[in-house]
Amino acid sequence: MTSDSHPRTRQLWLVALVVFAAFVRLIGIDWDDRHFFHPDERAIAFAIERLSFSPLQLDPDFFAYGSFPFYVNRAISSLLGLIDPSWGRYAQIIHTGRAVSGVLGVLTVLFTYLLGTRLYGWQTGILAGFLLAATPLHIQNSHYITTDVFLTFLVLLTLYSAVRLAQRGSTVDYLLTGLCIGLSVATKFSAMPLLAPFGVACLVRIAVERRFFPIVGKALLALLAVGAAFFAGQPYAILNWERYSHDIEEQSRMVRNAGLFPYTNQYVGTP
């Protein structure tokens, strides 16, 4: 392969990857013909309906999932509602949210390619991207207005930023990694372990630069970014702490005890 044909080949593979990922994720958004069988979709749509920018009402009063995806979907639905008011209502909120999940699913495939390329070369990036693009579970969840694909995208974005931090160590990399972690936790509390790869990246920078206090200073700045992004993405975790802590504890108990609630009985006795 000649050096001048190499970039064109790479671009063609990348276009094919994105087109394939988009095709299998963005078709069939109305897969249940407006019956809305998915119980989590209904709960999320009701929470989004409670939000409003005019008058301002940003407390979803529901924290089984993080508020950041709710705000994104409410903002998009409100903008579309300026064209047609029906877009701000329950059924269209679900359809819009499914489209948002599909687009984020495609972006997750793209960042898988970028991460693989940064670490191991573009061929590995293309292979990793296609493996995710063809994963049935990821395709399926890209058709739901649930937080799974939203969170996966933010987790991958965090890991990509952490890798850049470990490789380059610029202040911007610290801030971006912190912002991504904060928004991930504002999407689902279970994203807190992302602080671990951030810590590893900081240790790598200490080993490479052989400096301690400057790295610690930048790490503290990143932690401030984590807090700021979390509060921006889910302010009522603080402003409505009692309800937030109650819902987080309830989710934790549900994970440990599959038969705690009627809708989790199907998982009793399963791995």
Side-chain angles (χ1 to χ4, degrees):
M1 186 180 297
T2 62
S3 59
D4 60 341
S5 66
H6 183 279
R8 288 197 297 271
T9 301
R10 175 174 171 174
Q11 290 168 3
L12 288 173
W13 275 106
L14 180 56
V15 169
L17 171 64
V18 172
V19 169
F20 171 69
F23 177 75
V24 296
R25 283 163 178 77
L26 295 175
I27 61 169
I29 287 177
D30 188 19
W31 52 269
D32 54 356
D33 196 22
R34 291 178 174 257
H35 289 290
F36 306 128
F37 296 120
H38 198 308
D40 291 340
E41 284 193 316
R42 295 197 297 270
I44 288 171
F46 288 142
I48 293 173
E49 271 196 310
R50 288 193 289 272
L51 302 176
S52 172
F53 296 112
S54 181
L56 192 64
Q57 201 299 101
L58 298 179
D59 185 0
D61 198 33
F62 173 73
F63 300 103
Y65 300 106
S67 302
F68 180 54
F70 299 172
Y71 294 151
V72 171
N73 280 292
R74 179 76 271 182
I76 295 173
S77 295
S78 296
L79 288 174
L80 292 173
L82 297 176
I83 303 171
D84 183 349
S86 68
W87 282 95
R89 297 172 189 153
Y90 174 77
Q92 293 301 335
I93 284 174
I94 291 181
H95 284 154
T96 301
R98 289 175 178 178
V100 170
S101 290
V103 170
L104 289 176
V106 176
L107 291 176
T108 305
V109 170
L110 178 61
F111 269 94
T112 300
Y113 158 79
L114 292 174
L115 184 58
T117 298
R118 176 171 283 273
L119 290 173
Y120 303 109
W122 76 269
Q123 294 96 334
T124 301
I126 287 290
L127 176 60
F130 267 115
L131 288 174
L132 178 60
T135 299
L137 184 62
H138 195 265
I139 296 171
Q140 181 188 51
N141 280 299
S142 294
H143 287 79
Y144 301 150
I145 184 180
T146 52
T147 60
D148 304 270
V149 171
F150 211 111
L151 179 61
T152 303
F153 168 70
L154 288 172
V155 166
L156 196 63
L157 197 59
T158 301
L159 294 177
Y160 182 77
S161 299
V163 167
R164 294 212 322 175
L165 191 163
Q167 293 177 339
R168 305 189 317 177
S170 71
T171 303
V172 172
D173 293 327
Y174 283 90
L175 288 173
L176 285 177
T177 305
L179 291 173
C180 289
I181 293 174
L183 292 178
S184 297
V185 179
T187 298
K188 201 164 188 180
F189 186 75
S190 58
M192 282 294 290
L194 283 173
L195 290 170
F198 167 67
V200 170
C202 292
L203 291 175
V204 170
R205 292 316 307 170
I206 291 175
V208 170
E209 298 182 28
R210 299 185 181 279
R211 297 185 303 165
F212 180 77
F213 290 108
I215 303 300
V216 170
K218 291 180 180 180
L220 291 175
L221 185 63
L223 291 177
L224 288 175
V226 171
F230 174 75
F231 184 75
Q234 189 164 242
Y236 284 88
I238 309 300
L239 301 177
N240 192 359
W241 169 254
E242 185 176 356
R243 178 60 190 269
Y244 175 76
S245 59
H246 169 272
D247 285 3
I248 293 299
E249 182 183 353
E250 182 178 80
Q251 291 293 305
S252 177
R253 286 188 289 115
M254 183 179 70
V255 170
R256 293 195 301 268
N257 185 353
L260 186 62
F261 301 105
Y263 47 83
T264 61
N265 287 339
Q266 60 185 310
Y267 301 111
V268 173
T270 63

